[in-house]
Amino acid sequence: MHPGKFSKALTAVFGALLLVLLVAGVARAAYELLAPLVPILITAVALGVIYWFIFRGIRRR
């Protein structure tokens, strides 16, 4: 077995693991920051739909 072959594979695996952990950390941080805003966004969309149905529906009749 060549001496440099195993270390290249190990480096690739370690690099991939670091990349996965970095992506997971960023995703977790984004979730923690955006989770409180989800009910606000759902409420805003629901109110917008209700508003659209009421006012657009009345004007079309």
Side-chain angles (χ1 to χ4, degrees), residues 3-55:
K5 208 173 190 181
F6 183 69
S7 69
K8 278 186 183 177
L10 197 63
T11 305
V13 168
F14 187 65
L17 186 66
L18 268 176
L19 189 65
V20 166
L21 286 174
L22 181 71
V23 169
V26 169
R28 178 64 190 256
Y31 172 76
E32 293 289 337
L33 289 172
L34 295 176
L37 298 178
V38 171
I40 298 169
L41 288 173
I42 292 173
T43 305
V45 169
L47 288 175
V49 167
I50 291 167
Y51 171 84
W52 189 81
F53 270 118
I54 290 173
F55 286 98

